[in-house]
Amino acid sequence: MCLETIYQLSQHPKNHTRMVKDNILPALFDVVHSSLKSNKHKTLAMKTISELCKHEGNHKKIMDFDQQSGIKRIIKLCEYYHDAVRIYAAKSVEFLAVNPFLVQKLTEEGVLDPLKDMIKSDKQNVVAAAVHALCALARDSQNQVLIARKNLIPHLLKKANCGVDEIEQGITLTLALLAQSNINRPKIMFHGGFKPLIYNAQYGKTDEVRKRSQSVLTSLFKLPGAKRDELVRRAANKFKEGLKMRRSKS
């Protein structure tokens, strides 16, 4: 009951900084790490930590927690055996990654490995949480290169047509961000990353997804390798024809 009440309080943005100032973090981390607490209690504690991570004013205190182990603790919880705990740990990463001072710190501390394992999961909610976290991290140019170097692109593409809109759109946006790096573009083409982008350029559920897909495809299809590959060349021509048709109708 106590944890449920604390979680309910954390859902109000005005309480975020106050709760951290009142030193709630040690108690929450103690619950998550305790061998005596149930997974239900651990999930409530992790959900609360995730809510508190939404406020940038808390980020430094989270990072400095227990001799600067806060970030490492959250990353480690992305490996936790209970799905609900690692889902909210990944959400915490997503919220922390909006901070320009932490977005690289997260990858430096090794967050990409547990996120990669989560993306491989057969459970849609686990994959979705990892994709959102990865998309947030990919907004940083240095991270874009690191994500590709960790061989995450083929794992993302395996889920690109999973039938879940939230995952498919998240992957499309992540690929669009990764393609901002010249180093990554050939890798995306090599693994067939143009295929989900073509689909979302035409049928994406949001304007952002469609526009980003179109923009990335225009860059990808200009690559030397794209011009030599017959399959890619046909796809590029089909994409250009479809783009012309849509523009003529608008």
Side-chain angles (χ1 to χ4, degrees), residues 94-210:
E94 177 189 353
F95 301 141
L96 291 169
V98 304
N99 190 316
F101 297 103
L102 296 182
V103 68
Q104 291 183 8
K105 176 77 172 172
L106 287 158
T107 52
E108 288 169 5
E109 295 290 356
V111 75
L112 294 180
D113 288 327
L115 291 181
K116 184 177 181 180
D117 288 337
M118 288 178 72
I119 287 170
K120 294 177 184 178
S121 173
D122 294 328
K123 298 177 181 177
Q124 294 172 353
N125 55 352
V126 174
V127 175
V131 168
H132 287 309
L134 204 60
C135 189
L137 292 166
R139 296 183 189 279
D140 175 79
S141 58
Q142 183 174 307
N143 284 349
Q144 290 164 6
V145 177
L146 291 174
I147 289 166
R149 195 174 291 162
K150 282 285 186 179
N151 202 34
L152 274 150
I153 290 172
H155 294 289
L156 286 169
L157 290 171
K158 285 177 183 177
K159 305 288 186 177
N161 296 306
C162 64
V164 179
D165 287 344
E166 180 186 3
I167 294 173
E168 291 182 359
Q169 291 179 43
I171 288 173
T172 298
L173 292 174
T174 304
L175 287 172
L177 290 166
L178 295 178
Q180 290 177 1
S181 165
N182 293 331
I183 298 171
N184 290 346
R185 288 175 190 167
K187 294 179 182 179
I188 292 171
M189 288 298 292
F190 176 78
H191 290 291
F194 61 90
K195 295 173 185 176
L197 289 169
I198 286 177
Y199 178 85
N200 281 294
Q202 300 176 74
Y203 308 112
K205 296 291 177 68
T206 67
D207 285 339
E208 184 186 12
V209 169
R210 289 192 295 272

Side-chain angles (χ1 to χ4, degrees), residues 3 28-34 37-51 53 73-95 114-115 118 123 125-126 129-130:
L3 275 171
L28 293 173
F29 277 115
D30 282 349
V31 171
V32 177
H33 290 293
S34 174
K37 299 295 182 181
S38 69
N39 283 328
K40 180 182 178 181
H41 290 115
K42 293 180 181 186
T43 299
L44 278 170
M46 195 66 240
K47 283 171 75 174
T48 306
I49 293 170
S50 174
E51 286 292 328
C53 286
R73 285 175 180 240
I74 289 171
I75 291 171
K76 188 68 178 173
L77 288 165
C78 290
E79 302 174 354
Y80 199 74
Y81 73 91
H82 188 62
D83 287 339
V85 171
R86 61 178 179 158
I87 284 169
Y88 285 102
K91 286 181 181 291
S92 300
V93 170
E94 177 189 353
F95 301 141
L115 291 181
M118 288 178 72
K123 298 177 181 177
N125 55 352
V126 174

